[in-house]
Amino acid sequence: MVKKEYSNDEVTVVWQPELCIHSGKCVQGLGKVFDPERKPWIDPTQATSGEIKAQVQKCPSGALSIKDSASASADSMSSVKVQLMPGGPMILKGTCEVVGEDGSIESRKNAAFCRCTKSKNFPYCDGSHKG
């Protein structure tokens, strides 16, 4: 799976494009950092690390995450929240293990699971339910 990292002096934003469901929460909430018209589209120098962390936490699919020592230690203390989106994916907030049909195990923090089965990235949502 492709992972791209964008850093400032304090925090690294990790983007996994295959997990993105294009909800637009990142752009709507912090457009100066997340601008799809710019290359690269993520510029973490455009806001404080606190603002960036708060916005990344709003990513419903887990396509965006933060890589730093503080968030890693906080993950072990977090609970899991599941939210069913009307006509859309099942959003999981928190850390879990996903066991694939082949028995492979993947640790995930935040995920959007497909409920319509149209996703090319099944079991994860890719936004295909919109089309």
Side-chain angles (χ1 to χ4, degrees):
M1 185 174 303
V2 175
K3 287 185 180 183
K4 297 185 178 189
E5 297 185 0
Y6 307 87
S7 298
N8 62 22
D9 291 336
E10 300 172 349
V11 69
T12 299
V13 177
V14 180
W15 180 49
Q16 298 177 75
E18 295 161 355
L19 300 179
C20 187
I21 62 172
H22 308 288
S23 70
K25 300 238 185 252
C26 54
V27 175
Q28 295 162 6
L30 206 52
K32 59 188 176 188
V33 172
F34 303 100
D35 181 356
E37 302 298 320
R38 180 180 59 220
K39 300 292 181 206
W41 80 282
I42 299 175
D43 183 357
T45 66
Q46 297 299 311
T48 68
S49 295
E51 290 172 317
I52 293 168
K53 288 178 182 182
Q55 193 61 44
V56 166
Q57 287 178 347
K58 296 176 183 176
C59 177
S61 68
L64 292 172
S65 61
I66 296 294
K67 179 176 152 181
D68 69 1
S69 57
S71 63
S73 62
D75 286 348
S76 63
M77 300 298 290
S78 66
S79 62
V80 176
K81 176 183 176 184
V82 175
Q83 180 179 2
L84 301 178
M85 304 303 293
M90 178 178 67
I91 305 293
L92 181 134
K93 289 287 195 177
T95 303
C96 72
E97 286 187 349
V98 178
V99 180
E101 291 177 349
D102 62 356
S104 62
I105 299 174
E106 179 182 5
S107 180
R108 295 294 307 267
K109 179 179 185 245
N110 301 338
F113 290 98
C114 177
R115 294 194 300 158
C116 72
T117 69
K118 294 178 184 176
S119 174
K120 292 178 183 69
N121 193 29
F122 195 83
Y124 305 107
C125 179
D126 66 1
S128 294
H129 60 276
K130 296 177 184 176

